[in-house]
Structures are given as C-alpha cells and as structure tokens.
Amino acid sequence: MAFPEPKPRGPELPQKRLKTLDCGQRAVRAVRFNVDGNYCLTCGSDKTLKLWSPLRGTLLRTYSGHGYEVLDAAGSFDNSSLCSGGGDKAVVLWDVASGQVVRKFRGHAGKVNTVQFNEEATVILSGSIDSTIRCWDCRSRRPEPIQTLDEAKDGISSVKVSDHEVLAGSVDGRVRRYDLRMGQLFSDYVGSPITCTCFSRDGQCTLVSSLDSTLRLLDKDTGELLGEYTGHKNQEYKLDCCLSERDTHVVSCSEDGKVFFWDLVEGALALALPVGPSVVQSLAYHPTEPCLLTAMGGSVQCWREETYKAEDGTG
C-alpha cells in the first residue's frame, strides 16, 4: 500500500522575532541584505554604514566617510565591495575588507535616495532627489558619470537593476523601465508619488508602492495592473516594499508600526506583523529563506518563521 505523498507545505511567513540589533547609529534609515543573505548593512543618520551578521547579532565593521546621513547601500555580487549614498549628495564605493573608501562620486545636486550595483559590480547606479539617475564607472578614475538618465520630472525614490534593465520610481508618479538591450524606455503612470519599486523574483512583474497607501503589481511588459494591496499606512515617508523569497506574498512597511503581508494572487491580507510603536522605516527580505529584517528607530529586528530552529540552539 502506497502512502499518499505529503502535501507540500505552504510558505511560512517570518513572524517570530529572533534578534534585535541596537545599531548605535541614531536613526536607521535603511537595512539591506547582502547578495546571499548571510550579512546585512544598516545605514545610519549618524553618517555611518555598518555591516552585521544579523542572526548572530554581531557587528563586523563600521564604514565612516559620508558627510551626512546615509540613506541607502548595496553589496556587490562577490561581497568585496559596497556602495552607499546619502544626504551629502555623494555616492561612495567601499572596500568591504579594509573598510576604506575606494572612490567618492560627486555630481548629484541633491541627496541620494537609492543606490544599486549592476550585476558585475562594474557600475553603480544612483537615484537622487535632483530627478536624475547617474551611472558611475567603478573602474575609471573619471569624475563624471558615464550616463545620466534625466527623464523624471521629480525626485527619484527607488532604483532596481536586473541583468539588462533599470527600474526607477519617481515622486512624479511614474515608474520607468529602461531596457538597456533594446535601448527603450517604458513608462507607467501610477499617479501618486512612488516610494519604492522592485522586480518580482521571476522577473515577470514589478511591484510599486506609493503615497496613496497602495501597492500595485504590474505586468512588467504590458503595464497591466495585476493586483492592488491596501490596509497599511503610507502617506508621508519613503517606505520599502518587496516580494517574499518565493514570490508568494507582497510585503510592505507601514507608518503604523507594522509590516503587512498580502497573498500575491488573492490580494488578501495574510499578516499584519506588529514591530513597534513608530514608523517601520525600512525592510529587507532574505533572498532564499523566510527571513525578514525591519528597521525602526535606532534598531533592526530579525524575524524568522515560527518553526525555525537556530543552529546554535537559540531558536
């Protein structure tokens, strides 16, 4: 007699708080996982960038060199470099191991909200309140950007990069996708100032959050509206959104102290995770596991699924 196959378990959501990191950076403006999810970066209003092992709760290195608060950061595919941008209008390329500034790129006319490496980590893309995205060559000594994308009519809040595309959200209410292979620009009008954009992990869709307290899932190629997600509060701050590690859930920060999870297909609210009493400023979702980092005030919280057992027995 054959036993029935066990049903595949549904995706588990990270709702068990494992660790809280007191970052010692005044307000944490952004938290970001590195490429494999083993480390994370925290951007501080005290002008520092810090590298952590979040599950262990250990600080590995502090990077000092910005002249004003750090607003975003990203790690390279090989973990050898970091880039960051901030209120001093500068984009900084760092050597991870030494903690030294390798290059400081200047040219933006206002604060830098968002930074990303391209896939090979040869170019940094930075989006600024000055309405431009600038592309900086990490290997060149030239001070000026190799390209400036200036189609936006207002500040750039979010930039994401795939192997041949740049996805940008702007306060002008438009999501722009630059197809670098085809040399084409596609634009979708959302209407409300955009706070965050991202690709789905399968590359078929884009997720857009805006200041009308709504997230929208768009078909990347046609711009068709596939879903709308509401219930959270986002009316004044630039807050992060993302998709869970298997594209099953839409995830967003909220100004009411929670992180919201919606079922991607159904659109129904699956979980409102209480983080604390103030705005959830930033979040990061692990690339392959149900693990979430949230930033509130001066600390970062690390969340895992209920069934998670830490290898060191602290689960």
Side-chain angles (χ1 to χ4, degrees), residues 195-231:
T195 59
C196 187
T197 55
C198 58
F199 292 106
S200 58
R201 306 215 181 230
D202 67 5
Q204 303 296 306
C205 307
T206 57
L207 181 66
V208 183
S209 71
S210 49
L211 289 182
D212 55 358
S213 297
T214 305
L215 287 98
R216 294 171 176 85
L217 188 71
L218 306 177
D219 181 288
K220 190 183 79 176
D221 293 324
T222 66
E224 182 191 352
L225 180 65
L226 302 176
E228 286 194 316
Y229 310 88
T230 56

PDB file of all heavy atoms in Angstrom, residues 195-231:
ATOM      1  N   THR A 195       7.188  55.513  -3.782  1.00  0.00           N
ATOM      2  CA  THR A 195       8.167  55.402  -2.700  1.00  0.00           C
ATOM      3  C   THR A 195       9.128  54.244  -2.900  1.00  0.00           C
ATOM      4  O   THR A 195      10.250  54.283  -2.420  1.00  0.00           O
ATOM      5  CB  THR A 195       7.462  55.243  -1.345  1.00  0.00           C
ATOM      6  OG1 THR A 195       6.643  54.076  -1.379  1.00  0.00           O
ATOM      7  CG2 THR A 195       6.587  56.439  -1.037  1.00  0.00           C
ATOM      8  N   CYS A 196       8.686  53.183  -3.592  1.00  0.00           N
ATOM      9  CA  CYS A 196       9.562  52.021  -3.783  1.00  0.00           C
ATOM     10  C   CYS A 196       9.074  51.223  -4.976  1.00  0.00           C
ATOM     11  O   CYS A 196       7.869  51.140  -5.233  1.00  0.00           O
ATOM     12  CB  CYS A 196       9.536  51.147  -2.515  1.00  0.00           C
ATOM     13  SG  CYS A 196      10.717  49.780  -2.540  1.00  0.00           S
ATOM     14  N   THR A 197      10.017  50.659  -5.715  1.00  0.00           N
ATOM     15  CA  THR A 197       9.678  49.751  -6.820  1.00  0.00           C
ATOM     16  C   THR A 197      10.596  48.545  -6.723  1.00  0.00           C
ATOM     17  O   THR A 197      11.726  48.643  -6.233  1.00  0.00           O
ATOM     18  CB  THR A 197       9.933  50.402  -8.194  1.00  0.00           C
ATOM     19  OG1 THR A 197      11.302  50.842  -8.235  1.00  0.00           O
ATOM     20  CG2 THR A 197       9.032  51.570  -8.446  1.00  0.00           C
ATOM     21  N   CYS A 198      10.110  47.394  -7.197  1.00  0.00           N
ATOM     22  CA  CYS A 198      11.011  46.242  -7.305  1.00  0.00           C
ATOM     23  C   CYS A 198      10.488  45.247  -8.329  1.00  0.00           C
ATOM     24  O   CYS A 198       9.304  45.248  -8.671  1.00  0.00           O
ATOM     25  CB  CYS A 198      11.240  45.570  -5.953  1.00  0.00           C
ATOM     26  SG  CYS A 198       9.769  45.006  -5.158  1.00  0.00           S
ATOM     27  N   PHE A 199      11.404  44.423  -8.831  1.00  0.00           N
ATOM     28  CA  PHE A 199      11.051  43.320  -9.716  1.00  0.00           C
ATOM     29  C   PHE A 199      10.573  42.141  -8.880  1.00  0.00           C
ATOM     30  O   PHE A 199      11.072  41.923  -7.771  1.00  0.00           O
ATOM     31  CB  PHE A 199      12.286  42.847 -10.499  1.00  0.00           C
ATOM     32  CG  PHE A 199      12.819  43.824 -11.505  1.00  0.00           C
ATOM     33  CD1 PHE A 199      13.999  44.526 -11.253  1.00  0.00           C
ATOM     34  CD2 PHE A 199      12.172  44.038 -12.712  1.00  0.00           C
ATOM     35  CE1 PHE A 199      14.518  45.419 -12.177  1.00  0.00           C
ATOM     36  CE2 PHE A 199      12.692  44.927 -13.648  1.00  0.00           C
ATOM     37  CZ  PHE A 199      13.865  45.612 -13.381  1.00  0.00           C
ATOM     38  N   SER A 200       9.633  41.362  -9.421  1.00  0.00           N
ATOM     39  CA  SER A 200       9.359  40.071  -8.801  1.00  0.00           C
ATOM     40  C   SER A 200      10.580  39.177  -9.030  1.00  0.00           C
ATOM     41  O   SER A 200      11.397  39.427  -9.920  1.00  0.00           O
ATOM     42  CB  SER A 200       8.110  39.424  -9.407  1.00  0.00           C
ATOM     43  OG  SER A 200       8.269  39.259 -10.798  1.00  0.00           O
ATOM     44  N   ARG A 201      10.713  38.136  -8.224  1.00  0.00           N
ATOM     45  CA  ARG A 201      11.919  37.292  -8.336  1.00  0.00           C
ATOM     46  C   ARG A 201      11.946  36.543  -9.654  1.00  0.00           C
ATOM     47  O   ARG A 201      13.013  36.195 -10.154  1.00  0.00           O
ATOM     48  CB  ARG A 201      12.010  36.354  -7.142  1.00  0.00           C
ATOM     49  CG  ARG A 201      11.927  37.151  -5.839  1.00  0.00           C
ATOM     50  CD  ARG A 201      12.748  36.633  -4.694  1.00  0.00           C
ATOM     51  NE  ARG A 201      12.539  37.492  -3.532  1.00  0.00           N
ATOM     52  CZ  ARG A 201      13.486  38.027  -2.796  1.00  0.00           C
ATOM     53  NH1 ARG A 201      14.745  37.832  -3.092  1.00  0.00           N
ATOM     54  NH2 ARG A 201      13.204  38.773  -1.755  1.00  0.00           N
ATOM     55  N   ASP A 202      10.755  36.287 -10.243  1.00  0.00           N
ATOM     56  CA  ASP A 202      10.744  35.604 -11.548  1.00  0.00           C
ATOM     57  C   ASP A 202      10.913  36.580 -12.709  1.00  0.00           C
ATOM     58  O   ASP A 202      10.965  36.164 -13.870  1.00  0.00           O
ATOM     59  CB  ASP A 202       9.452  34.786 -11.717  1.00  0.00           C
ATOM     60  CG  ASP A 202       8.198  35.663 -11.828  1.00  0.00           C
ATOM     61  OD1 ASP A 202       8.318  36.904 -11.874  1.00  0.00           O
ATOM     62  OD2 ASP A 202       7.094  35.082 -11.872  1.00  0.00           O
ATOM     63  N   GLY A 203      10.999  37.886 -12.404  1.00  0.00           N
ATOM     64  CA  GLY A 203      11.264  38.879 -13.453  1.00  0.00           C
ATOM     65  C   GLY A 203      10.080  39.225 -14.327  1.00  0.00           C
ATOM     66  O   GLY A 203      10.225  39.979 -15.284  1.00  0.00           O
ATOM     67  N   GLN A 204       8.884  38.705 -14.012  1.00  0.00           N
ATOM     68  CA  GLN A 204       7.718  38.945 -14.870  1.00  0.00           C
ATOM     69  C   GLN A 204       6.925  40.195 -14.479  1.00  0.00           C
ATOM     70  O   GLN A 204       6.181  40.738 -15.294  1.00  0.00           O
ATOM     71  CB  GLN A 204       6.753  37.745 -14.793  1.00  0.00           C
ATOM     72  CG  GLN A 204       7.374  36.422 -15.177  1.00  0.00           C
ATOM     73  CD  GLN A 204       7.807  36.392 -16.620  1.00  0.00           C
ATOM     74  OE1 GLN A 204       7.022  36.656 -17.519  1.00  0.00           O
ATOM     75  NE2 GLN A 204       9.079  36.095 -16.841  1.00  0.00           N
ATOM     76  N   CYS A 205       7.057  40.613 -13.219  1.00  0.00           N
ATOM     77  CA  CYS A 205       6.196  41.675 -12.694  1.00  0.00           C
ATOM     78  C   CYS A 205       7.030  42.746 -12.001  1.00  0.00           C
ATOM     79  O   CYS A 205       8.178  42.514 -11.632  1.00  0.00           O
ATOM     80  CB  CYS A 205       5.208  41.116 -11.655  1.00  0.00           C
ATOM     81  SG  CYS A 205       4.260  39.719 -12.219  1.00  0.00           S
ATOM     82  N   THR A 206       6.404  43.899 -11.812  1.00  0.00           N
ATOM     83  CA  THR A 206       7.006  44.932 -10.979  1.00  0.00           C
ATOM     84  C   THR A 206       6.009  45.300  -9.880  1.00  0.00           C
ATOM     85  O   THR A 206       4.792  45.335 -10.119  1.00  0.00           O
ATOM     86  CB  THR A 206       7.369  46.189 -11.795  1.00  0.00           C
ATOM     87  OG1 THR A 206       6.195  46.676 -12.450  1.00  0.00           O
ATOM     88  CG2 THR A 206       8.431  45.878 -12.817  1.00  0.00           C
ATOM     89  N   LEU A 207       6.551  45.549  -8.701  1.00  0.00           N
ATOM     90  CA  LEU A 207       5.741  45.964  -7.553  1.00  0.00           C
ATOM     91  C   LEU A 207       6.054  47.424  -7.276  1.00  0.00           C
ATOM     92  O   LEU A 207       7.222  47.824  -7.267  1.00  0.00           O
ATOM     93  CB  LEU A 207       6.085  45.097  -6.338  1.00  0.00           C
ATOM     94  CG  LEU A 207       5.321  45.382  -5.047  1.00  0.00           C
ATOM     95  CD1 LEU A 207       3.844  45.039  -5.210  1.00  0.00           C
ATOM     96  CD2 LEU A 207       5.922  44.579  -3.885  1.00  0.00           C
ATOM     97  N   VAL A 208       5.004  48.215  -7.068  1.00  0.00           N
ATOM     98  CA  VAL A 208       5.151  49.662  -6.903  1.00  0.00           C
ATOM     99  C   VAL A 208       4.371  50.106  -5.667  1.00  0.00           C
ATOM    100  O   VAL A 208       3.185  49.786  -5.546  1.00  0.00           O
ATOM    101  CB  VAL A 208       4.580  50.411  -8.131  1.00  0.00           C
ATOM    102  CG1 VAL A 208       4.810  51.907  -7.994  1.00  0.00           C
ATOM    103  CG2 VAL A 208       5.196  49.883  -9.411  1.00  0.00           C
ATOM    104  N   SER A 209       5.042  50.821  -4.753  1.00  0.00           N
ATOM    105  CA  SER A 209       4.305  51.400  -3.622  1.00  0.00           C
ATOM    106  C   SER A 209       4.292  52.911  -3.768  1.00  0.00           C
ATOM    107  O   SER A 209       5.241  53.501  -4.294  1.00  0.00           O
ATOM    108  CB  SER A 209       4.940  50.991  -2.288  1.00  0.00           C
ATOM    109  OG  SER A 209       6.177  51.634  -2.107  1.00  0.00           O
ATOM    110  N   SER A 210       3.201  53.505  -3.304  1.00  0.00           N
ATOM    111  CA  SER A 210       3.062  54.953  -3.474  1.00  0.00           C
ATOM    112  C   SER A 210       2.355  55.563  -2.274  1.00  0.00           C
ATOM    113  O   SER A 210       1.826  54.857  -1.409  1.00  0.00           O
ATOM    114  CB  SER A 210       2.323  55.269  -4.778  1.00  0.00           C
ATOM    115  OG  SER A 210       1.146  54.499  -4.870  1.00  0.00           O
ATOM    116  N   LEU A 211       2.348  56.893  -2.238  1.00  0.00           N
ATOM    117  CA  LEU A 211       1.882  57.631  -1.057  1.00  0.00           C
ATOM    118  C   LEU A 211       0.366  57.704  -0.929  1.00  0.00           C
ATOM    119  O   LEU A 211      -0.150  58.446  -0.097  1.00  0.00           O
ATOM    120  CB  LEU A 211       2.474  59.047  -1.046  1.00  0.00           C
ATOM    121  CG  LEU A 211       3.977  59.153  -0.740  1.00  0.00           C
ATOM    122  CD1 LEU A 211       4.404  60.609  -0.713  1.00  0.00           C
ATOM    123  CD2 LEU A 211       4.317  58.490   0.587  1.00  0.00           C
ATOM    124  N   ASP A 212      -0.365  56.905  -1.737  1.00  0.00           N
ATOM    125  CA  ASP A 212      -1.802  56.762  -1.516  1.00  0.00           C
ATOM    126  C   ASP A 212      -2.095  55.502  -0.707  1.00  0.00           C
ATOM    127  O   ASP A 212      -3.211  54.974  -0.747  1.00  0.00           O
ATOM    128  CB  ASP A 212      -2.565  56.753  -2.850  1.00  0.00           C
ATOM    129  CG  ASP A 212      -2.057  55.688  -3.811  1.00  0.00           C
ATOM    130  OD1 ASP A 212      -1.094  54.970  -3.466  1.00  0.00           O
ATOM    131  OD2 ASP A 212      -2.629  55.566  -4.914  1.00  0.00           O
ATOM    132  N   SER A 213      -1.083  55.031   0.042  1.00  0.00           N
ATOM    133  CA  SER A 213      -1.212  53.828   0.868  1.00  0.00           C
ATOM    134  C   SER A 213      -1.694  52.629   0.046  1.00  0.00           C
ATOM    135  O   SER A 213      -2.554  51.863   0.471  1.00  0.00           O
ATOM    136  CB  SER A 213      -2.165  54.064   2.048  1.00  0.00           C
ATOM    137  OG  SER A 213      -1.664  55.061   2.907  1.00  0.00           O
ATOM    138  N   THR A 214      -1.125  52.483  -1.146  1.00  0.00           N
ATOM    139  CA  THR A 214      -1.494  51.366  -2.029  1.00  0.00           C
ATOM    140  C   THR A 214      -0.236  50.800  -2.669  1.00  0.00           C
ATOM    141  O   THR A 214       0.671  51.548  -3.054  1.00  0.00           O
ATOM    142  CB  THR A 214      -2.453  51.844  -3.146  1.00  0.00           C
ATOM    143  OG1 THR A 214      -3.571  52.485  -2.536  1.00  0.00           O
ATOM    144  CG2 THR A 214      -2.943  50.694  -3.999  1.00  0.00           C
ATOM    145  N   LEU A 215      -0.187  49.464  -2.768  1.00  0.00           N
ATOM    146  CA  LEU A 215       0.836  48.799  -3.575  1.00  0.00           C
ATOM    147  C   LEU A 215       0.153  48.248  -4.807  1.00  0.00           C
ATOM    148  O   LEU A 215      -0.996  47.773  -4.735  1.00  0.00           O
ATOM    149  CB  LEU A 215       1.504  47.658  -2.816  1.00  0.00           C
ATOM    150  CG  LEU A 215       2.457  48.090  -1.718  1.00  0.00           C
ATOM    151  CD1 LEU A 215       1.765  48.045  -0.373  1.00  0.00           C
ATOM    152  CD2 LEU A 215       3.666  47.182  -1.680  1.00  0.00           C
ATOM    153  N   ARG A 216       0.846  48.310  -5.931  1.00  0.00           N
ATOM    154  CA  ARG A 216       0.291  47.805  -7.187  1.00  0.00           C
ATOM    155  C   ARG A 216       1.271  46.831  -7.821  1.00  0.00           C
ATOM    156  O   ARG A 216       2.476  47.115  -7.875  1.00  0.00           O
ATOM    157  CB  ARG A 216       0.008  48.962  -8.151  1.00  0.00           C
ATOM    158  CG  ARG A 216      -1.096  49.896  -7.674  1.00  0.00           C
ATOM    159  CD  ARG A 216      -1.201  51.148  -8.530  1.00  0.00           C
ATOM    160  NE  ARG A 216      -2.326  52.005  -8.122  1.00  0.00           N
ATOM    161  CZ  ARG A 216      -2.263  52.911  -7.158  1.00  0.00           C
ATOM    162  NH1 ARG A 216      -1.119  53.108  -6.484  1.00  0.00           N
ATOM    163  NH2 ARG A 216      -3.317  53.633  -6.847  1.00  0.00           N
ATOM    164  N   LEU A 217       0.746  45.721  -8.295  1.00  0.00           N
ATOM    165  CA  LEU A 217       1.542  44.741  -9.030  1.00  0.00           C
ATOM    166  C   LEU A 217       1.226  44.914 -10.507  1.00  0.00           C
ATOM    167  O   LEU A 217       0.066  44.834 -10.920  1.00  0.00           O
ATOM    168  CB  LEU A 217       1.187  43.320  -8.568  1.00  0.00           C
ATOM    169  CG  LEU A 217       2.081  42.206  -9.110  1.00  0.00           C
ATOM    170  CD1 LEU A 217       3.472  42.262  -8.480  1.00  0.00           C
ATOM    171  CD2 LEU A 217       1.451  40.843  -8.854  1.00  0.00           C
ATOM    172  N   LEU A 218       2.269  45.192 -11.293  1.00  0.00           N
ATOM    173  CA  LEU A 218       2.090  45.445 -12.725  1.00  0.00           C
ATOM    174  C   LEU A 218       2.775  44.349 -13.535  1.00  0.00           C
ATOM    175  O   LEU A 218       3.834  43.845 -13.157  1.00  0.00           O
ATOM    176  CB  LEU A 218       2.705  46.796 -13.116  1.00  0.00           C
ATOM    177  CG  LEU A 218       2.256  48.044 -12.340  1.00  0.00           C
ATOM    178  CD1 LEU A 218       3.035  49.260 -12.819  1.00  0.00           C
ATOM    179  CD2 LEU A 218       0.766  48.266 -12.474  1.00  0.00           C
ATOM    180  N   ASP A 219       2.156  43.999 -14.652  1.00  0.00           N
ATOM    181  CA  ASP A 219       2.834  43.133 -15.613  1.00  0.00           C
ATOM    182  C   ASP A 219       3.986  43.941 -16.202  1.00  0.00           C
ATOM    183  O   ASP A 219       3.788  45.042 -16.714  1.00  0.00           O
ATOM    184  CB  ASP A 219       1.859  42.708 -16.712  1.00  0.00           C
ATOM    185  CG  ASP A 219       2.522  41.786 -17.727  1.00  0.00           C
ATOM    186  OD1 ASP A 219       3.360  42.279 -18.521  1.00  0.00           O
ATOM    187  OD2 ASP A 219       2.208  40.584 -17.740  1.00  0.00           O
ATOM    188  N   LYS A 220       5.197  43.396 -16.116  1.00  0.00           N
ATOM    189  CA  LYS A 220       6.375  44.181 -16.492  1.00  0.00           C
ATOM    190  C   LYS A 220       6.330  44.600 -17.959  1.00  0.00           C
ATOM    191  O   LYS A 220       6.704  45.719 -18.305  1.00  0.00           O
ATOM    192  CB  LYS A 220       7.652  43.367 -16.220  1.00  0.00           C
ATOM    193  CG  LYS A 220       8.914  44.181 -16.348  1.00  0.00           C
ATOM    194  CD  LYS A 220      10.139  43.335 -16.157  1.00  0.00           C
ATOM    195  CE  LYS A 220      10.446  42.544 -17.407  1.00  0.00           C
ATOM    196  NZ  LYS A 220      11.690  41.780 -17.281  1.00  0.00           N
ATOM    197  N   ASP A 221       5.871  43.722 -18.824  1.00  0.00           N
ATOM    198  CA  ASP A 221       5.931  44.011 -20.256  1.00  0.00           C
ATOM    199  C   ASP A 221       4.776  44.877 -20.742  1.00  0.00           C
ATOM    200  O   ASP A 221       4.959  45.734 -21.603  1.00  0.00           O
ATOM    201  CB  ASP A 221       5.974  42.703 -21.055  1.00  0.00           C
ATOM    202  CG  ASP A 221       7.275  41.954 -20.822  1.00  0.00           C
ATOM    203  OD1 ASP A 221       8.319  42.630 -20.670  1.00  0.00           O
ATOM    204  OD2 ASP A 221       7.261  40.713 -20.767  1.00  0.00           O
ATOM    205  N   THR A 222       3.575  44.658 -20.213  1.00  0.00           N
ATOM    206  CA  THR A 222       2.401  45.377 -20.731  1.00  0.00           C
ATOM    207  C   THR A 222       1.989  46.548 -19.841  1.00  0.00           C
ATOM    208  O   THR A 222       1.234  47.407 -20.280  1.00  0.00           O
ATOM    209  CB  THR A 222       1.196  44.434 -20.845  1.00  0.00           C
ATOM    210  OG1 THR A 222       0.804  44.027 -19.520  1.00  0.00           O
ATOM    211  CG2 THR A 222       1.537  43.213 -21.675  1.00  0.00           C
ATOM    212  N   GLY A 223       2.438  46.566 -18.580  1.00  0.00           N
ATOM    213  CA  GLY A 223       1.997  47.597 -17.653  1.00  0.00           C
ATOM    214  C   GLY A 223       0.617  47.330 -17.073  1.00  0.00           C
ATOM    215  O   GLY A 223       0.086  48.141 -16.299  1.00  0.00           O
ATOM    216  N   GLU A 224       0.015  46.176 -17.435  1.00  0.00           N
ATOM    217  CA  GLU A 224      -1.326  45.844 -16.934  1.00  0.00           C
ATOM    218  C   GLU A 224      -1.317  45.719 -15.409  1.00  0.00           C
ATOM    219  O   GLU A 224      -0.384  45.157 -14.829  1.00  0.00           O
ATOM    220  CB  GLU A 224      -1.771  44.514 -17.562  1.00  0.00           C
ATOM    221  CG  GLU A 224      -3.163  44.082 -17.148  1.00  0.00           C
ATOM    222  CD  GLU A 224      -3.470  42.639 -17.565  1.00  0.00           C
ATOM    223  OE1 GLU A 224      -2.673  42.041 -18.301  1.00  0.00           O
ATOM    224  OE2 GLU A 224      -4.503  42.121 -17.113  1.00  0.00           O
ATOM    225  N   LEU A 225      -2.355  46.251 -14.768  1.00  0.00           N
ATOM    226  CA  LEU A 225      -2.495  46.160 -13.313  1.00  0.00           C
ATOM    227  C   LEU A 225      -2.970  44.757 -12.948  1.00  0.00           C
ATOM    228  O   LEU A 225      -4.083  44.359 -13.307  1.00  0.00           O
ATOM    229  CB  LEU A 225      -3.482  47.217 -12.817  1.00  0.00           C
ATOM    230  CG  LEU A 225      -3.734  47.267 -11.318  1.00  0.00           C
ATOM    231  CD1 LEU A 225      -2.474  47.662 -10.565  1.00  0.00           C
ATOM    232  CD2 LEU A 225      -4.864  48.231 -10.994  1.00  0.00           C
ATOM    233  N   LEU A 226      -2.124  44.012 -12.232  1.00  0.00           N
ATOM    234  CA  LEU A 226      -2.455  42.628 -11.869  1.00  0.00           C
ATOM    235  C   LEU A 226      -3.050  42.525 -10.471  1.00  0.00           C
ATOM    236  O   LEU A 226      -3.773  41.578 -10.173  1.00  0.00           O
ATOM    237  CB  LEU A 226      -1.202  41.749 -11.948  1.00  0.00           C
ATOM    238  CG  LEU A 226      -0.493  41.712 -13.296  1.00  0.00           C
ATOM    239  CD1 LEU A 226       0.779  40.897 -13.198  1.00  0.00           C
ATOM    240  CD2 LEU A 226      -1.416  41.143 -14.366  1.00  0.00           C
ATOM    241  N   GLY A 227      -2.721  43.481  -9.602  1.00  0.00           N
ATOM    242  CA  GLY A 227      -3.242  43.410  -8.242  1.00  0.00           C
ATOM    243  C   GLY A 227      -3.015  44.702  -7.494  1.00  0.00           C
ATOM    244  O   GLY A 227      -2.082  45.456  -7.807  1.00  0.00           O
ATOM    245  N   GLU A 228      -3.876  44.964  -6.525  1.00  0.00           N
ATOM    246  CA  GLU A 228      -3.719  46.120  -5.629  1.00  0.00           C
ATOM    247  C   GLU A 228      -3.789  45.622  -4.196  1.00  0.00           C
ATOM    248  O   GLU A 228      -4.591  44.729  -3.889  1.00  0.00           O
ATOM    249  CB  GLU A 228      -4.840  47.145  -5.852  1.00  0.00           C
ATOM    250  CG  GLU A 228      -4.687  47.942  -7.123  1.00  0.00           C
ATOM    251  CD  GLU A 228      -5.602  49.164  -7.145  1.00  0.00           C
ATOM    252  OE1 GLU A 228      -6.779  49.044  -6.764  1.00  0.00           O
ATOM    253  OE2 GLU A 228      -5.126  50.229  -7.558  1.00  0.00           O
ATOM    254  N   TYR A 229      -2.963  46.203  -3.333  1.00  0.00           N
ATOM    255  CA  TYR A 229      -2.848  45.736  -1.955  1.00  0.00           C
ATOM    256  C   TYR A 229      -2.945  46.947  -1.037  1.00  0.00           C
ATOM    257  O   TYR A 229      -2.167  47.899  -1.173  1.00  0.00           O
ATOM    258  CB  TYR A 229      -1.510  45.009  -1.760  1.00  0.00           C
ATOM    259  CG  TYR A 229      -1.268  43.961  -2.833  1.00  0.00           C
ATOM    260  CD1 TYR A 229      -0.642  44.309  -4.031  1.00  0.00           C
ATOM    261  CD2 TYR A 229      -1.715  42.660  -2.672  1.00  0.00           C
ATOM    262  CE1 TYR A 229      -0.454  43.369  -5.039  1.00  0.00           C
ATOM    263  CE2 TYR A 229      -1.529  41.714  -3.675  1.00  0.00           C
ATOM    264  CZ  TYR A 229      -0.903  42.070  -4.858  1.00  0.00           C
ATOM    265  OH  TYR A 229      -0.724  41.145  -5.852  1.00  0.00           O
ATOM    266  N   THR A 230      -3.909  46.908  -0.108  1.00  0.00           N
ATOM    267  CA  THR A 230      -4.135  48.053   0.783  1.00  0.00           C
ATOM    268  C   THR A 230      -4.367  47.567   2.213  1.00  0.00           C
ATOM    269  O   THR A 230      -4.564  46.378   2.460  1.00  0.00           O
ATOM    270  CB  THR A 230      -5.368  48.870   0.343  1.00  0.00           C
ATOM    271  OG1 THR A 230      -6.498  47.990   0.291  1.00  0.00           O
ATOM    272  CG2 THR A 230      -5.165  49.511  -1.012  1.00  0.00           C
ATOM    273  N   GLY A 231      -4.364  48.521   3.136  1.00  0.00           N
ATOM    274  CA  GLY A 231      -4.577  48.215   4.545  1.00  0.00           C
ATOM    275  C   GLY A 231      -3.489  48.827   5.411  1.00  0.00           C
ATOM    276  O   GLY A 231      -3.698  49.123   6.581  1.00  0.00           O
TER     277      GLY A 231
END
